Structure formats: structure tokens, C-alpha cells
Amino acid sequence: MTNSDVDVVGGGGGIGGLANAYALATEGHSVRVLERAPEFAEVGAGLQLAPNATRILRDWGLLDEVLAAGVSPRRMVFKDALDGAVLTHLAFDDAFAQRYRAPYVVIHRSDLLTILVRACERAGVDLVPSCAVEGVSADGDGAVVHSAHGDHRAELVIAADGLHSTLRATLSDDVPICSGYVAYRGAFPVARLDRRLGRDELNDITVYIGPGCHLVHYPLRRGEIFNTVAVFASPAYRRGEQEWGGPEELDDAFADACADVKEGLGSLWRDRRWPMYDRLPIPRWVHGRLALTGDAAHPMLQYLA
Ligand SMILES: Cc1cc2nc3c(=O)[nH]c(=O)nc-3n(C[C@H](O)[C@H](O)[C@H](O)COP(=O)(O)OP(=O)(O)OC[C@H]3O[C@@H](n4cnc5c(N)ncnc54)[C@H](O)[C@@H]3O)c2cc1C
């Protein structure tokens, strides 16, 4: 079966794929997004949006919604994870706004995804959940995307299917490279935390930097939610063990940290973790009618989030 033609088929409906779809639809193209998951959803943790992202959201007319759903932090404060001393800070003040011509925002990932889903719906994007992309082939002067539910013909195919991209295999046989670092996240309603947060914690992004580890926290959803991320290098991974990055290693990695950081470890989910992967650069992200974008093209190890 070949589904009706569209100008563009996007494989993957995460933040990158929906952003692509919205941009193309508002330029007048017919767009279909095929998403493997049963619904368009994101992990329930925070996301930092620097001015390079918020400037585009403003151009698209979506920044006001993003600001209303997120938090405009006062500062990003860097501290020593061991003794808690302030190392430096970046103020998100008028000078920052003038220099970068857009604000710094932190937002719950699912809030941003909801804004993008609604924007895509308004723009007429055909959003298709539960539809895993399996490959792409050339077809005359177009391309055909193959999925479990049939083929989709398009002029252009955009891969936004993330770090473990299926469509990237069309261009490259490289595989994700494990960094040996693992991230733990947690996002809890402020009212449910068993500790009282200070004014700085509720207004700043705080980044504690230590040897082989860092911990970041910031408020989300107008200050109703508190988001924490801890990242560390796993000794078990370095030793070549199959099981690595478990909660006991999390505690060990921050054993010498200051009291504030140790307290922050209590605001993490312990039943999920995110091993961090990278990829080597490849010579091109475009092949015929296929273009790679987002993590499918250039995943990045995170340091601040
Ligand atoms: C701990 C951590 C913190 C981070 N913090 C930040 C931050 O603060 N700010 C920032 O800018 N970046 C941050 N990043 C990076 C950021 O999350 C990613 O770069 C971004 O999510 C990539 O978006 P994407 O849409 O390209 O891929 P993804 O978000 O991975 O989306 C891919 C989508 O494709 C779908 N999919 C996969 N395979 C298929 C298939 N075969 N067919 C159809 N659909 C498929 C998936 O279900 C998913 O919906 C962080 C990353 C990590 C790990």
C-alpha cells in the first residue's frame, strides 16, 4: 500500500521532528510525521532553551506560549560540587537579552512537545503515531518511506528519529559510541519535595561541577516543578563490566560532594537512567532526498542540562 503523497515525510516526532514539520508546514508544504511511539510524548524532565532556540520559537510565533509554560531563570550559577563555593555566574539580565536578542528559558519537555503538537495541528501537519519507519528508497524523482503500516511517498524525507536512528543507516553504518557517563533525572512538584527550597534554587539554574560528575537543578512550569539532573562517569563501565551506572554508583560518584549536592540526589528518579552516547561526525547529513536532523544527525553529550 502506498499512502497518499505529501511533500515531506518526517521520520520521528520528538522535539526535532515536530519543529521541522511545523517550519515546513508554515512554508506551505504538506507534511506527514511518522512516530514509532503510540503517542507524541516526551520524557517528563526539563529542557534548557538557549537564545539560539528561543529566537526561532519567537520567529514562529510560539515564544509567548513557551514563556507562559516555562520559567525565565534569573541566572545560571556555577558552583564547586565539593565545597559548594560559587565559581562564576551568568546573569540573564537586560544585557544578556540585548546581546543575544532572545531569552534563556527552561521548560518541561512535555510542555514544549505539547506546544509543538498543537502548532503542527493548526498548521495542518498529518501526525501519525504508532508508525515505525523501517527505511527509505529512491523512487523516480521522489522517495518512499517504508513503515510497518505501508509506504509513504514524498519529495523529501527528513530523519528526526533520534540517537539510534534507523534512517541514518541509509547514509552511514556508524553506531552510537558510549561515553561511559550516565545521567539520572528527576522532576517533582515543589510541594511534594521533602525539603524547603530557597529563593536562589527557585529562580536560578544551578550547576555543581565536580571531578567526573556534575549536578544541575532548576525550576520548571512557572516554578511548580523542581528539576534535577546528575551525571557521572561510571567506574564499572571503565572496568568493562556489563552492568554499570546503577544507583549505588550514583551515590559513590557524589560521596565527596557538599551537603547541597547530596540533598539534590534525593530529588532524582532512581528507577531510570540515561547512559550517554555520542556519534562520530559523518561527511554529510544529506543523501538524495533524505536529510538527517537533530540527534539522528549530530547527537551531543550534555554538560549543563
Ligand atoms: C540528560 C539529557 C539532558 C539534555 N538536556 C538538554 C537541554 O537542556 N537542552 C537541549 O537543547 N538539549 C538537551 N539534551 C539533548 C536533547 O534532549 C536532544 O538533542 C533532543 O531531544 C534531540 O531531539 P530529536 O527530536 O532529534 O530526537 P529524540 O528526542 O530522540 O526524538 C526522536 C523521536 O523519534 C522517534 N523514533 C525513533 N525511531 C523511530 C522510527 N524508526 N520510526 C519512527 N519514529 C522513531 C522516537 O520515538 C522519538 O519520538 C539533553 C540530553 C540528555 C540525554
Side-chain angles (χ1 to χ4, degrees), residues 11-17 34-37 41-42 46-49 109 131-134 160-164 166 183 185 218 229 274 276 293-296 300 302 305:
I15 290 168
L34 310 178
E35 166 56 44
R36 180 177 60 187
E42 253 286 354
L47 186 72
Q48 299 191 39
L49 295 174
R109 283 171 182 263
C131 188
V133 164
E134 294 170 346
D161 50 348
L163 172 71
H164 300 281
T166 301
R185 292 158 152 164
Y218 49 85
V229 184
W274 286 264
M276 312 281 297
T293 63
D295 277 9
M300 287 179 292
Q302 64 83 36

Side-chain angles (χ1 to χ4, degrees), residues 6-10 24 29-33 153-158:
V6 284
D7 296 336
V8 185
V9 166
L24 288 161
H29 301 286
S30 56
V31 185
R32 177 176 302 141
V33 177
R153 196 171 188 288
E155 299 290 313
L156 173 68
V157 178
I158 302 217

Side-chain angles (χ1 to χ4, degrees), residues 188-205:
F188 293 95
V190 168
R192 272 190 39 213
L193 289 178
D194 55 9
R195 62 189 169 120
R196 196 175 284 275
L197 298 173
R199 196 174 76 101
D200 289 350
E201 288 163 306
L202 287 170
N203 289 286
D204 293 340
I205 298 169

